[in-house]
Amino acid sequence: SIYKIKFITWSAFDFREFQGLALYDKRGLFETMGDYGNAMPMLPQLFSPLFGRAMAELLSGIYISRAHSGTEIPTILSIGAGRGFLDYDLINYLRSDLFSDCPPEYALQTAILRDSAKFLITDRTQNSLGLLRKELSDVLKDPTFSTRVNIREMNALDFNLGGIPLGLAFSNELVDCLPTEPIVKINSNLYVVKVVPYDLGNNGDNSPDSKRIESSILPAKGVFGKYDALKRIKAGELERMGFLPV
């Protein structure tokens, strides 16, 4: 009924809300899986250091084409850096003799990238920030780079860096880590997916609205609203919680 649909709309999680909690809450995947660079192979690992070199050459070409005066100092922004494999290989290549070996007409821009460019390396989880500091430790100890490399917490969906004269941004496997809003098509009608929390011990809120949902739509007992669920998540009471997409 319309009444039941309204209750689900008001009391259930949007799928992107649920996915955001599952990924980025302090008890979510990226904060609790430890050194996930060892848990699952990353593309920069598989192609290291060639992937980083290729990305550095790409950014160099973009910089040369966009630096109108030829002397602007760029800020290179890494969004969702994760473990930092790509960032390490990219910076390591920029400080190498191989990068400095360039055609004479690009010598000035190459020197600016090598000696003056700033690097802002970001992620949104404390776990990743710790791994970044570990992976980039020798870069941070290099006196020619330590003052130019900044590791910062940043949400890829909500950030403001202020005024930067010239910026170059890159990311790797970022979009597949962003919360999504799936749409289901049924009989030519489009529906969003909601996620209803419930108690595995059938200890729901026992409200009339929840009872109506339990009796008609969901194959579960113990339904409660998302605000109660958020309180349980904050309190660490996850073992007794289940979630159903509707």
Side-chain angles (χ1 to χ4, degrees), residues 107-243:
L108 175 60
Q109 291 86 357
T110 298
I112 290 174
L113 281 172
R114 183 191 64 234
D115 301 330
S116 303
K118 299 177 181 178
F119 301 86
L120 182 54
I121 302 172
T122 69
D123 205 284
R124 65 181 293 182
T125 70
Q126 295 304 309
N127 183 43
S128 289
L129 294 174
L131 293 173
L132 282 170
R133 295 185 185 97
K134 178 181 178 182
E135 182 66 25
L136 298 172
S137 59
D138 69 324
V139 173
L140 296 173
K141 294 175 183 176
D142 184 340
T144 62
F145 273 83
S146 59
T147 59
R148 297 192 280 131
V149 176
N150 183 14
I151 297 173
R152 183 192 300 183
E153 180 181 355
M154 192 185 83
N155 184 343
L157 296 177
D158 183 18
F159 67 92
N160 184 350
L161 301 179
I164 294 178
L166 179 61
L168 303 169
F170 71 95
S171 64
N172 177 57
E173 298 186 20
L174 173 67
V175 175
D176 54 342
C177 294
L178 298 179
T180 57
E181 196 72 82
I183 304 296
V184 178
K185 185 176 182 180
I186 302 176
N187 297 327
S188 299
N189 296 314
L190 299 178
Y191 300 91
V192 296
V193 176
K194 308 290 282 190
V195 179
V196 176
Y198 66 95
D199 186 274
L200 297 176
N202 298 334
N203 184 24
D205 60 20
N206 294 317
S207 68
D209 290 328
S210 294
K211 293 300 182 183
R212 289 189 184 97
I213 299 301
E214 291 173 1
S215 65
S216 59
I217 297 179
L218 303 177
K221 303 297 181 182
V223 170
F224 52 88
K226 74 174 182 180
Y227 297 107
D228 190 6
L230 290 171
K231 291 179 181 178
R232 296 189 184 203
I233 292 172
K234 185 176 182 180
E237 300 172 1
L238 302 175
E239 293 78 8
R240 294 176 56 84
M241 292 178 62
F243 299 90

Side-chain angles (χ1 to χ4, degrees), residues 70-88:
T71 59
E72 293 100 333
I73 296 176
T75 297
I76 298 176
L77 171 64
S78 172
I79 307 175
R83 182 67 167 82
F85 295 117
L86 177 58
D87 304 273
Y88 177 81

